[in-house]
Amino acid sequence: MDEPVTAIVPDVLQDLLQAQLRVVLCGTAASTVSAAAGAYYANKQNKFWKILHETKLIPEPLQPHQYRDLLRHGIGLTDLVKTHFGMDNQIPLTKLDDPRARLSASIAAFRPKFLAFTSKTAGQKFFGGKRDCGGQSERIGDTRVWILPSTSGAANGSWRPEVWHRFADEVRKKT
């Protein structure tokens, strides 16, 4: 009897991780625009790059194609779901056991000071239930965990930059 063949699905965007990061920012999954561009947060309507500069987490504005430059500022990037892309409601979030374990293992291995989910959806799916934005009581090892409001243009109605500013203030205090 033949063994079943399991296809290995490549990551849509490669993780941007290394040791001694201040922050790892984690989305739910790459958007369709980001997948096509091969760069994180590439949709022109997304406020991600603007808020990173506005909060002074990065000293100069960057464009999506410059995402690798975030490492110079102690910031890494990943997504909860690495093998699919699209809007949050298009991602097979019911199959998150492996992504949760993968993310936890990455954070435990690289040990950033902070892990911040860049949407309430990503944070809630990671924790498996309803959560508010802000600092969370749980940690992954010594890594503090935050849930931030989505920077997506599709989430403009729930945009709260003050939470991003509070997060940046905490990062500066602890790093």
Side-chain angles (χ1 to χ4, degrees):
M1 183 178 242
D2 290 335
E3 292 288 320
V5 176
T6 316
I8 295 176
V9 180
D11 290 353
V12 174
L13 294 173
Q14 294 299 308
D15 284 342
L16 184 69
L17 298 173
Q18 66 182 25
Q20 299 183 331
L21 291 170
R22 295 183 307 148
V23 175
V24 171
L25 297 168
C26 179
T28 305
S31 71
T32 303
V33 173
S34 290
Y40 285 88
Y41 304 96
N43 191 311
K44 289 181 182 355
Q45 303 304 312
N46 198 301
K47 297 174 278 303
F48 179 81
W49 298 101
K50 181 179 184 238
I51 196 70
L52 284 185
H53 182 248
E54 182 182 304
T55 59
K56 297 182 177 44
L57 286 170
I58 58 173
E60 73 274 343
L62 294 174
Q63 298 298 313
H65 70 276
Q66 298 173 295
Y67 75 89
R68 289 175 193 86
D69 292 350
L70 287 175
L71 291 176
R72 291 186 294 124
H73 307 294
I75 299 173
L77 297 172
T78 191
D79 288 306
L80 194 55
V81 178
K82 299 298 295 173
T83 57
H84 294 77
F85 61 90
M87 299 279 291
D88 283 358
N89 65 359
Q90 299 170 323
I91 306 301
L93 294 174
T94 56
K95 300 176 181 174
L96 281 182
D97 288 341
D98 288 341
R100 274 194 284 254
R102 182 206 55 82
L103 179 61
S104 293
S106 290
I107 297 304
F110 288 104
R111 302 172 58 202
K113 302 276 190 236
F114 291 88
L115 166 65
F117 293 98
T118 61
S119 74
K120 205 170 180 181
T121 298
Q124 289 179 348
K125 294 304 176 186
F126 180 80
F127 286 115
K130 197 154 179 58
R131 293 293 177 113
D132 289 325
C133 288
Q136 305 299 303
S137 59
E138 297 91 339
R139 291 181 182 225
I140 300 172
D142 292 332
T143 300
R144 297 179 63 183
V145 181
W146 274 67
I147 297 175
L148 301 170
S150 175
T151 57
S152 169
N156 279 342
S158 59
W159 177 235
R160 294 175 40 216
E162 67 276 8
V163 179
W164 278 81
H165 283 273
R166 276 200 325 268
F167 170 67
D169 290 345
E170 282 297 306
V171 169
R172 280 188 282 282
K173 279 191 234 174
K174 304 290 182 196
T175 57

